[in-house]
Amino acid sequence: MNLLPFHNKIIDEFITEDGLMIISTGLGLEKIIASIIAPYCDPHQLVFVLNPEGSSENYLDELLIEKGVTQNLLPKKITNEFSHSDRSEIYLQGGVMFATSRILIVDMLQDRLPMHLISGIIVTHAERLTETCSEAFILRLYRLANQKGFVKAFSEEANDFVRGFAHVESVMKLLFVEKLFLWPRFHTFVGKDLDSRVVECIDVFAKMSPSQKGIENAIIDIIKETLNEIKRCSPGMDLSDFTVENSYHKSFDRIITNQLKPIWNTITRKTKTLIEDLRTMRKLLFYLQRYDCVTFYNFLQTLKLSEGQFGIPKSNWILTDQGDDIFELSKNRVYQLITRQIQTPPKKQKTLTQMATNRQSPNTETVEDLYMVLEENPKWQRLDEILDEINEEITTTNDKSVSGKVLVMCGDDKTTNQVQDYLRVGARSMLLNLVHRLIGAQVRRQNESLEKNTATKTSVRPQSAQYTRGRGSSSTTPKATRGRKRNSSGTTPSPGSKKDKEVRLLSAELNASKKYTQKLLAPLQAVQRLQTSQTSQTSQTPVTASEDNVISHFEIIPHPINNKQMQVIVSSLNDVTTLLDRQRPSFVVLFDHNLSLIRKLEVYKNSNPGSAFRVYLIIYDRESVEFKQYLSVLSREQESFKQLISIKSRLQIPSMESLLTLVKDVNMRLVGEQFVNLENTVVVDMREFRSSLPSLLNLSGMKVIPIQLRVGDYVVTRDLCVERKSTVDLWQSLTGGRLFTQCESMLRHYKHAALLIEFDARQAFTLMEVWEFQSEVSGSHIISKLALLTMHFPRLKIFWTRTASMTAKLFKELKNDAGTTAEPDPAAAQNFGTGEGDDDNDANMQAIEFLKRLPGVDESNVYKIISRVATLYDLSQLSLPQLTSIIGEASAKKLYTFLNESNNLG
C-alpha cells in the first residue's frame, strides 16, 4: 500500500486523538482507515467499525493484508448468522470487527458484550449520524460504560455538514468528541503532493444532438416553471434553496425533504404534485445524460402509462407544450414516420369529373414509411475515436511502461452494461435489441388489439376499406416499413388515427427485424447467459477481439517490436477502489464525470510515479447541464470547506464529561423535595430496533430491555402492552387481519392493551388525504376497519403520535403515572404467547367473557369483581351487601337478582 506524505501526516495527527475528520472525496480515505486500524488487529484489542459498506469491507481487508496483517487477524464480520453464545465468544477473542448496528445494540443492552474491554469505535460516513440513529445509540451506551476508549469518525461529504443549523456541532456531540480535523483538496500538504506530478487529463467534448438539446431545454423550462409555481403556491415558506442550479445536484431531493418536513401536513395537494413533478424532471435529466434513446423513450412511456394509476397523482408537466416536445423528440430519436409520394401505373378509366374537365388521373400515391432512427449516444462516437487513438499509440510506442490495458469508467452498472454491449455488437444492433426487449411487447399488444377491432368492424361491415402492410426490401437490415391503404376504386381511405398507423408500422418493423437481430446478437446473449451467475463481476468484464471480430480496432495485431495488444476493461465507479491497484492501466477513459474518481486518479498517479498514465474525460459541450454540474460540484465542495474552516474557528463543544452528565441527569426524578436517580424500564421487541424509538427511549432516561416478544411490541408497565404501527403497516395489518389477532393476544395476557399509530414527520399527519374520503360507507375502508376494531375490542386503547420523539414522551408520562411499583416483568413478557400456561389463560378469558355478559357487570366494574372474587361459583355465593360493597348498589341488585332468581321452566 503506497502512502503519500500527506497520508502519513493525517495518520500521525489523528491516530493519537479522538475527533471527527472531514476529508475531500477521493483522497484515499480507505488507506487512512486501514493504517489506523492495523495496529488494533490484535487479540488484546477490541475495536468496532460502524457503517462500513460491503465493497469497503473487502477493500479494507486487502489493504490490511498489504500492511502485513495475517489472515486469522483480519476484521471479523458479525452478522445474524452467529448465535448469541457464538457472538459472546467472538467478542472475547478480540481484534477488529465489522458489526451491524442492530446486533451491536442488542448485545450491549443484554450484557453479552463486555463494554470495559472495548478499545475504541471507528465511525465511517459520519455525515449520516442523527440523534435518532442506531449509531448514536451505540455511542451513547459505549460512553456511559467506558470513558477510556477512543472514538474516531470519518466523512468525505463536506457539503452535508454545512446544511441546516449547527450540524457539525450536533454530530460531534453525538460522537462525544471535541476536535474537528479538516483536509480539503486545497490543503497545503495535499496540494504539494498531488501537484508535484500532474495527471495528463484530456477533455473530450461530445456535442449533443438537436433532439437531445431540445429535450434538455424543455426539461429545464419545466423545472423553472415548476419552481416558480411552488413559490407562488407557498408564499410563507423559505424557498431560497429552490433554484435551477441546485436542482442539478443529487442532494436536491434531500434539500426539499429537510425544508418541507416540518410543514408537510400543511402543504396543499397541488404543491405536493409540483414537488413530485420536480423529482420526475430531475430523473429525466439524469436518464437523458446517461442512457440511450430507447431506454429514455421507454421510461417516458412508463410515466405516461402510470399517470393517475396506482395512487400516483396526475402530473402537470405532461399537459404543457414542453411536455409534448419531450415526448415527440424522444420518439423521433427512436423512429420517425416519413410521408412521401410514389409513382403508380396510370389508370385506364377516368372519373366523370376528369372526363368533363379533360384532366389526367394522378399517377402518384402518398405512403407513410416508418424509419428506425435509433439515434446513438454522442459519447459512444467519442469513445470509438479515443480507443482508436490509444490502440495506435500502444502498437507504435517503445515505452515499456505503457501497458495495453484501457479502463473505461462509467457512472453506474446500467451504463456499464450498455457500453459493454456497444463495444461488442455495435450501436444499431444493441439499440434494436433494446427496442424488442423494452417496447416490443407493448407494441405487439396494441397491434393485436387493433387487429381484433378491425376484424370486428369488417365482420359487421364487409364493404369497408381494407388495410394492408408492405415492407421495403433491404440487403442487410430492414430499415423501413411501408403501409398502404386501398379500396376497390383505387382511393386511399383512412384506416384509423395516426397513433394506430404508428403502432401497425412499428409492429411490422419489429417483426421484420426480429430474425436479423437475433442472429446478430447471438454471441452477446451467450455472454450474458454466462454472466448471469456472476453478477458481481459483470462490471469488470474485459472486452477483446476474441469476443467480437466485427470491431476493427479491437483486433489483436501483435507488433513486431513490442508485441503489445489493447485490452479494454469496462467498469462502474463502484469498483474503482480495487480496479486501479489490480489492473494498473496506462489509460483511463471517464465516460461519466465524477469528482471522487478524478481525485483517486490523482492519488494513483502520484503513488505510481514510474508508470505511464493518461486520462480522457468524455463530457457534453460547455452549454450542457452535465458540464455545469461538473463545475458546480467543484465549487460547492470548496465553498463547503471554507464554511467549515470558519465554523471550526469559533467551534465550542462541551467536554465528554459534561455531555455524559447531561445524559445521566435525564434519569433524575423529583421525589419529595430531592432528586433521586430512578430507572424506568421498558421491554422492547428485538425487531423494533430497526426503528428509532428504542434509541429515543434510552435518550429520555429509560432502560431498554431487548427481548423476543410474541405478544406486543413494547411492555411499558406490568399491565400495559403496546402494539406500534406505522401508517403503512396499519393499512397492511387491517387488510390482512393480523391486527385483530395481535389485539386479541394482548388483551388475553395484559390488563391494558394499546394500539399506537405513529406517523412519519415527512408525511401528512392524517391517515388519508381529504380527496380519498368516500361519500358512502364501505367495509373495505380503513375508517370502517378501525371502527370494527374498536367495537370488537372495547378495552383497546388507541394512541397516535406525530413523531417517534412524541412517542417517547408519551411512554415516559405513562410510566410516571403508573409509578415505580408497576415496572414490567421481562421474564413474564417473554413467556406470553409461548404456549406455557396458555390453556389456563384461555379458560380464564372464557370465564371473564362470561362474567361481562352478566346483568350489572360492565367494563367499569368487571375488574373490581376479578380482584375480589376468585371464581364464578364464589361470586354466586355472595350476599347482596357483599356485592354492593364491590360494585355499587344498582349494579349489585341486577347481578344478585339474576344469580338468585329461580327459573321455573316447567
Side-chain angles (χ1 to χ4, degrees), residues 554-751:
F554 275 3
E555 293 180 358
I556 302 176
I557 307 176
H559 194 270
I561 299 176
N562 55 30
N563 196 25
K564 291 180 179 178
Q565 63 186 25
M566 182 173 71
Q567 183 184 16
V568 179
I569 303 169
V570 185
S571 173
S572 67
L573 297 177
N574 300 328
D575 308 311
V576 68
T577 52
T578 56
L579 267 182
L580 289 172
D581 293 331
R582 289 176 181 174
Q583 302 295 337
R584 297 191 173 274
S586 295
F587 304 92
V588 175
V589 182
L590 302 182
F591 196 79
D592 299 303
H593 74 87
N594 183 275
L595 180 61
S596 176
L597 177 56
I598 294 174
R599 299 272 174 75
K600 290 176 180 178
L601 295 176
E602 285 186 295
V603 174
Y604 174 78
K605 169 64 178 177
N606 286 271
S607 301
N608 301 273
S611 303
F613 193 67
R614 185 187 305 158
V615 177
Y616 294 86
L617 173 60
I618 306 177
I619 194 168
Y620 286 117
D621 54 75
R622 299 179 185 275
E623 299 299 324
S624 66
V625 171
E626 185 184 35
F627 188 78
K628 294 176 183 177
Q629 286 176 338
Y630 175 63
L631 297 179
S632 180
V633 169
L634 290 171
S635 60
R636 281 165 63 90
E637 189 192 58
Q638 291 182 0
E639 290 299 324
S640 298
F641 269 107
K642 290 178 182 179
Q643 292 183 42
L644 288 173
I645 292 172
S646 176
I647 292 172
K648 183 180 179 180
S649 64
R650 59 179 186 273
L651 190 65
Q652 292 183 353
I653 301 295
S655 63
M656 180 178 66
E657 291 76 13
S658 301
L659 293 173
L660 290 175
T661 302
L662 292 175
V663 174
K664 293 177 181 178
D665 288 345
V666 177
N667 292 331
M668 305 297 291
R669 196 192 310 172
L670 185 63
V671 178
E673 296 182 355
Q674 61 181 353
F675 285 95
V676 181
N677 190 0
L678 297 177
E679 195 172 57
N680 293 324
T681 302
V682 177
V683 178
V684 182
D685 185 22
M686 293 174 62
R687 290 162 292 192
E688 283 293 306
F689 282 88
R690 299 186 182 94
S691 67
S692 60
L693 184 55
S695 175
L696 290 170
L697 292 175
N698 175 264
L699 187 62
S700 62
M702 300 186 195
K703 181 180 179 181
V704 177
I705 300 178
I707 290 178
Q708 188 74 35
L709 295 179
R710 293 170 177 81
V711 178
D713 292 330
Y714 296 85
V715 181
V716 182
T717 66
R718 187 182 300 274
D719 299 325
L720 175 59
C721 180
V722 177
E723 180 72 27
R724 188 186 71 92
K725 296 290 183 184
S726 63
T727 52
V728 177
D729 193 19
L730 178 66
W731 279 80
Q732 296 174 350
S733 300
L734 283 172
T735 303
R738 180 163 50 94
L739 184 56
F740 288 84
T741 305
Q742 292 171 335
C743 293
E744 183 180 11
S745 181
M746 286 192 298
L747 290 170
R748 177 181 301 174
H749 296 94
Y750 291 94
K751 182 178 180 180

Side-chain angles (χ1 to χ4, degrees), residues 55-67:
S55 57
S56 299
E57 293 179 5
N58 298 331
Y59 187 49
L60 286 174
D61 287 345
E62 294 180 10
L63 294 175
L64 290 172
I65 292 174
E66 293 182 20
K67 293 283 292 184

